[in-house]
Amino acid sequence: MLNPLAAAPRRARRLDRAIAIAGGAASFSTLAVFGWIVWDLIRLGLPNLSWHFLTGEVETAGRSGGIGPVLVSTLLILLCCLAVAVPLGIGCAVWLSEFVRRGSRASRIVTGGVDLLASVPSIVFGLFGMTFFCQVLGLGFSILSGGLTLACMILPILVRTTLLALEGLPADLRPGAAALGLTRTTTLRQVLLPTALPGILVAITLGVGRALSETAALLFTSGYSTRWPDSLGESGRALSVHIYDLAMNIPNGSPNASASALVLLVLILLINLTATGLTERWTRHLSGTTS
Amino acid sequence: MSQLSVSRLSVRYGPVKALRDVSLEIPKGQITALVGPSGCGKSTLLHTLNRLTDLVDGCEVRGSVRLDDDLEITEATTDVLALRRHIGMVFQKPNPFPHSIRRNFEIPLREHGVSRANIPGIIERCLRDVGLWDEVSTRLDRSALQLSGGQQQRLCIARALALDPEVILFDEPCSALDPLASAVVEDHIAALRGRVTVVIVTHNLAQARRIADRLAVFWVRDGAGTIVETGPAANLFTDPTDPDAARYLSGERG
Amino acid sequence: MSRSRTDRFVQWSLGGLAVLSGGLVLLIVVFLLLGAWPTIQSGLLSHLLTDETWRPGSDRDPQFGLLPMLAASFLVTALSIGIAAPFGVAGAVFDRFYLPPGFRRWNHRLLELLAGVPSVVFGFWGLTVLVPAINRLHPPGQSLLAASLVLSLMILPTVALTSQAALRAVPESETLAAAGLGLGRARTIFSIALPAAKSGIGGGILLAVARAIGETMAVVMVCGNIAEFPSSLFDPVRPVTSTIALEMGYASADHKALLYTAGLILVLAVAALVGWLAFRGSKNVPASG
């Protein structure tokens, strides 16, 4: 006779196995597609990759030659971006964490603004950057304009991650410093910021990764020039824009686009690994404090 | 002679009354222990003495606390940074800065204008005072977090001593430590008698009995903490007058 | 008291930086509004919804129909979420309940790496690998399908990682209690874990929607960029973001104002989503236990 107690588990086991297979397939295929993309980029890009490619001039609109000037422009755009975004973002986070009460109106308004900024699509940053930096401030299509536009874009990630780092500090550091008669400035400079440094580095690394992978915000701000840049006021093409242009606008640009995409991918992977490594160090660093 | 005189002190955190109408004389060079059940305002009183209450939003202090019959601590114009140099504090959980042992001294000493040349001498003197010198003299540049809990707490005492304070406040300094480390820290607190005025909050009545010269027993009355009995420790343990204090001190509600 | 003056100086300067950071989004919205103003003023706004095609540059008969692009944005977003959400959630369930803990860290790391891949790289891969493949199936290749597939790959890590976090936040005591009642793993997942994590998973999906609406590069390279209503998955489309990216460079006058208007619409749509998400989050926190 049918035993209901025996029947139920069998059905449950079958369902269990179905979930395992479906979930496993979903997980595996996600990672497999990732592997596929990487493999394709290596397959298409590696043959064109060489030292000369990394350092050479851009020739025939990118079809031949290298990406030397593009890498330099990218680096300069990144430096402009960080020079503005890092002080702004860290300053904002420090103010939110150390100088206003959490949940106060001022804190809610500023975090709300920063979170809204995070939701702005990157193409809109491009639109804004083109109008504000290039036209209103008269910077034209330049490395500076591109860097400033990116700075606006990575600001939220810097603020949020730095804030997380500061809020993750052991709570008793602050009264401890106050009880020794330290000013808030000294407490910040000598105690809190050095302790939060790994976390702040994570914030900067994430910002660099975001900035480096951005294309849309740079299309109409940093320009397309492929010459070696002489100054920040000149137009300069970022690596991501170079890939886009080669793939979309240059017939037979694909081989060099592949190699450029591979370079960008490797850079991003390195940056991500740095961020992961820093995060792990940071967690260990803090767990030493709590024991 | 009183080092600190607290009179008619009331403290509230927003709508919550923490302390009501507390008066207490804290004699110079002695060890005064504040005891009583949890949540009756002992730590609040301690935080009022060096104005750490300023760090708490919505904290309102009324009444008077005078240092050396001279400086009114609760006055808004009081220079709290200077005040905290005179009145040091050691917390329940050891809280060395996550830097080297040396930096833990340098940061406060430099802040209070001590010249670099004098700092090594001060570090050695203070670490000797807490019996830590022999243990750490060769690794002053290692992270303070590598020390054991008891060592960290002694480092915090040494760090407080480095500023040459007249008073040191201890907020349950041994409750986060194991019994052995706790005994060592307790001995070093007891050794401060005569040199520094000590105010210590403790839940450990045996500890209070061992080290305290004077005792103040806190109790919650009408929804707020207050002092129900105060006097020389020896008298209080043998012959308390307040019935709550008597039961508490005899261990019935410890 | 010069030391406290330093403190005040630091406090005010940092406050200034904070106000600048928080106010930047306002500046952006103001610029979009200023740029879009001519559209609103000249009554072009109604044309956005009534004109049948998009021929903004034409001198004789300019047409400003934005509807095909809005439809394209909507379709691409909906399809990509439709693909990414089941994969992401199923993967997260597998990660939480079936994957040995040792592998979990690696799964997490790989997904994080995947989340960091630049959109232009996805777009390039789509253009050189996916589009030719679709072309063999059904020309032209650059299509609604290609855009949706590439976009779904881009947002998959977002869905997977937020779903994982939501499932991990379900207290172990609850799943253990279910096991204690003799519930099988499958029952535990459907009756305990997924309902408890519902809000977090939904939040992750909405976040992915916001990303999908705003994504430009991955889409512009594979969608075909023809501003008409698609009649099948294999038709080329042109979402709002692509339009801005393609025409920003040469647009002028009314045309340019229209692009600002499109940008404004994007910002409002995404901000509304994210704002609603934040509001929902703040309301749900006490109830989620």
Side-chain angles (χ1 to χ4, degrees):
Chain A
M1 281 293 97
L2 272 179
N3 178 350
L5 276 177
R10 193 183 307 147
R11 225 182 34 229
R13 251 201 308 281
R14 214 176 297 147
L15 185 60
D16 188 47
R17 196 170 308 145
I19 298 174
I21 292 170
S27 264
F28 179 76
S29 55
T30 306
L31 300 182
V33 171
F34 182 44
W36 182 18
I37 295 177
V38 172
W39 168 243
D40 274 338
L41 287 177
I42 293 175
R43 184 172 57 86
L44 298 167
L46 203 55
N48 302 297
L49 212 52
S50 65
W51 182 246
H52 175 252
F53 180 77
L54 291 178
T55 56
E57 305 261 356
V58 179
E59 290 159 23
T60 59
R63 278 184 214 94
S64 55
I67 53 169
V70 174
L71 286 180
V72 173
S73 296
T74 309
L75 185 71
L76 290 177
I77 293 172
L78 209 55
L79 288 179
C80 285
C81 161
L82 291 180
V84 175
V86 167
L88 204 56
I90 293 177
C92 177
V94 166
W95 187 76
L96 284 171
S97 134
E98 308 300 324
F99 290 92
V100 283
R101 223 166 351 114
R102 211 178 313 171
S104 69
R105 180 179 302 204
S107 145
R108 281 213 313 270
I109 291 177
V110 170
T111 43
V114 170
D115 287 348
L116 270 182
L117 191 64
S119 77
V120 172
S122 56
I123 186 71
V124 174
F125 278 105
L127 210 56
F128 166 75
M130 182 176 107
T131 328
F132 186 62
F133 297 121
C134 301
Q135 293 164 8
V136 175
L137 296 188
L139 300 174
F141 287 164
S142 64
I143 289 171
L144 197 55
S145 297
L148 290 171
T149 309
L150 285 189
C152 301
M153 209 185 73
I154 68 164
L155 190 61
I157 209 172
L158 279 172
V159 173
R160 275 303 185 181
T161 320
T162 307
L163 199 56
L164 223 55
L166 287 170
E167 285 172 352
L169 292 178
D172 50 4
L173 280 182
R174 295 173 182 92
L180 289 168
L182 304 188
T183 60
R184 283 166 131 184
T185 313
T186 309
T187 307
L188 256 176
R189 275 196 22 220
Q190 313 266 26
V191 182
L192 301 178
L193 287 181
T195 313
L197 189 65
I200 294 172
L201 288 180
V202 171
I204 296 175
T205 317
L206 291 176
V208 168
R210 181 81 213 278
L212 201 56
S213 36
E214 184 50 38
T215 315
L218 290 176
L219 280 178
F220 302 107
T221 52
S222 68
Y224 285 86
S225 163
T226 52
R227 277 170 299 131
W228 295 97
D230 286 326
S231 76
L232 299 180
E234 275 181 28
S235 155
R237 183 188 286 208
L239 188 56
S240 55
V241 175
H242 189 57
I243 298 168
Y244 172 70
D245 194 54
L246 280 183
M248 291 290 281
N249 304 331
I250 311 289
N252 299 323
S254 196
N256 270 359
S258 313
S260 307
L262 187 60
V263 171
L264 182 59
L265 192 69
V266 169
L267 284 176
I268 292 290
L269 290 188
L270 286 179
I271 284 167
N272 268 320
L273 289 177
T274 311
T276 318
L278 280 172
T279 311
E280 270 169 18
R281 244 197 70 189
W282 162 245
T283 331
R284 270 208 308 275
H285 172 74
L286 278 189
S287 62
T289 324
T290 47
S291 65
Chain B
M1 177 197 162
S2 281
Q3 180 102 58
L4 284 160
S5 10
V6 179
S7 71
R8 313 220 55 183
L9 184 76
S10 297
V11 181
R12 54 195 307 161
Y13 299 112
V16 182
K17 280 190 187 137
L19 272 185
R20 184 170 46 225
D21 210 13
V22 166
S23 298
L24 181 66
E25 296 294 322
I26 295 169
K28 195 177 177 72
Q30 297 193 6
I31 298 180
T32 304
L34 314 180
V35 299
S38 299
C40 58
K42 306 182 299 290
S43 292
T44 300
L45 176 60
L46 215 56
H47 285 79
T48 316
L49 299 182
N50 70 347
R51 289 274 297 271
L52 273 191
T53 41
D54 289 15
L55 301 189
V56 184
D57 284 303
C59 178
E60 192 186 314
V61 177
R62 251 183 294 163
S64 148
V65 182
R66 298 185 82 81
L67 177 65
D68 296 330
D69 282 328
D70 177 29
L71 177 79
E72 178 54 59
I73 290 176
T74 56
E75 203 73 59
T77 51
T78 301
D79 179 352
V80 294
L81 301 176
L83 170 73
R84 289 171 187 159
R85 180 179 182 173
H86 291 290
I87 305 185
M89 185 162 191
V90 173
F91 293 79
Q92 175 174 12
K93 232 179 76 186
N95 58 353
F97 299 136
H99 305 316
S100 70
I101 296 171
R102 192 191 305 280
R103 283 292 286 159
N104 266 277
F105 290 91
E106 280 174 352
I107 293 171
L109 286 171
R110 293 293 299 159
E111 175 81 351
H112 292 284
V114 176
S115 79
R116 269 185 203 289
N118 295 333
I119 289 179
I122 298 177
I123 294 179
E124 179 172 351
R125 173 170 61 77
C126 295
L127 285 175
R128 280 194 193 284
D129 272 349
V130 296
L132 210 53
W133 177 252
D134 295 331
E135 294 163 51
V136 304
S137 62
T138 56
R139 43 175 180 153
L140 289 179
D141 291 307
R142 298 253 203 96
S143 167
L145 299 181
Q146 289 174 357
L147 300 176
S148 72
Q151 287 175 320
Q152 287 189 15
Q153 194 63 304
R154 282 188 281 151
L155 173 65
C156 291
I157 298 173
R159 189 176 64 178
L161 282 171
L163 294 175
D164 233 347
E166 293 147 47
V167 184
I168 300 186
L169 313 171
F170 289 88
D171 194 355
E172 299 184 45
C174 298
S175 63
L177 306 178
D178 67 72
L180 275 178
S182 167
V184 175
V185 168
E186 186 185 310
D187 289 346
H188 287 289
I189 296 173
L192 295 174
R193 193 191 323 265
R195 295 165 47 200
V196 184
T197 305
V198 169
V199 186
I200 177 169
V201 169
T202 179
H203 280 287
N204 184 338
L205 285 177
Q207 182 177 64
R209 195 194 287 268
R210 282 193 298 270
I211 66 172
D213 300 307
R214 295 182 63 81
L215 211 59
V217 183
F218 282 67
W219 209 263
V220 176
R221 288 278 158 79
D222 302 324
T226 191
I227 294 180
V228 291
E229 179 130 29
T230 173
N235 296 3
L236 237 59
F237 273 112
T238 52
D239 191 18
T241 49
D242 181 86
D244 286 326
R247 270 185 295 136
Y248 181 75
L249 292 177
S250 67
E252 281 176 42
R253 295 185 58 176
Chain C
M1 297 226 70
S2 77
R3 285 192 299 175
S4 65
R5 208 176 306 145
T6 320
D7 263 7
R8 254 199 310 278
F9 172 75
V10 169
Q11 172 163 15
W12 282 103
S13 348
L14 291 176
L17 294 178
V19 168
L20 206 60
S21 306
L24 195 55
V25 71
L26 265 184
L27 187 68
I28 291 179
V29 170
V30 165
F31 265 88
L32 287 179
L33 273 174
L34 284 178
W37 185 244
T39 324
I40 300 162
Q41 207 180 22
S42 62
L44 277 177
L45 216 49
S46 60
H47 285 262
L48 290 181
L49 300 180
T50 52
D51 282 7
E52 285 184 3
T53 55
W54 177 257
R55 238 181 6 246
S58 159
D59 289 333
R60 271 183 303 120
D61 177 29
Q63 293 269 309
F64 304 113
L66 199 63
L67 273 185
M69 288 170 249
L70 288 173
S73 278
F74 175 81
L75 283 174
V76 170
T77 302
L79 280 170
S80 62
I81 292 291
I83 301 165
F87 274 85
V89 176
V93 166
F94 182 74
D95 175 86
R96 167 72 177 77
F97 290 98
Y98 296 87
L99 202 61
F103 288 94
R104 250 180 242 167
R105 215 168 113 228
W106 286 104
N107 190 28
H108 188 82
R109 268 198 189 169
L110 282 170
L111 283 172
E112 271 182 336
L113 286 183
L114 187 52
V117 173
S119 54
V120 73
V121 171
F122 276 109
F124 175 71
W125 178 80
L127 184 65
T128 48
V129 178
L130 204 59
V131 165
I134 294 177
N135 181 41
R136 278 195 291 280
L137 203 67
H138 191 299
Q142 294 194 323
S143 57
L144 176 58
L145 181 65
S148 307
L149 283 174
V150 169
L151 198 54
S152 71
L153 278 179
M154 270 207 72
I155 59 174
L156 219 165
T158 307
V159 180
L161 287 169
T162 47
S163 303
Q164 276 179 18
L167 283 173
R168 222 175 303 129
V170 177
E172 189 131 18
S173 59
E174 287 183 21
T175 51
L176 279 181
L181 290 170
L183 291 187
R185 191 154 50 176
R187 200 63 3 247
T188 309
I189 291 168
F190 283 113
S191 307
I192 311 287
L194 284 178
K198 197 174 59 184
S199 164
I201 293 175
I205 292 178
L206 283 180
L207 210 63
V209 171
R211 257 197 91 182
I213 296 176
E215 178 50 41
T216 312
M217 298 321 291
V219 173
V220 74
M221 295 172 81
V222 297
C223 66
N225 295 312
I226 291 180
E228 280 168 14
F229 286 104
S231 55
S232 87
L233 278 177
F234 299 99
D235 280 1
V237 291
R238 184 201 254 196
V240 180
T241 49
S242 303
T243 309
I244 302 177
L246 290 169
E247 298 178 2
M248 224 21 245
Y250 63 85
S252 59
D254 277 353
H255 184 188
K256 195 166 180 182
L258 279 168
L259 295 183
Y260 281 103
T261 313
L264 198 59
I265 292 173
L266 276 180
V267 169
L268 291 180
V270 176
L273 256 174
V274 171
W276 182 56
L277 203 62
F279 174 70
R280 207 184 75 126
S282 67
K283 246 184 21 183
N284 273 1
V285 166
S288 69

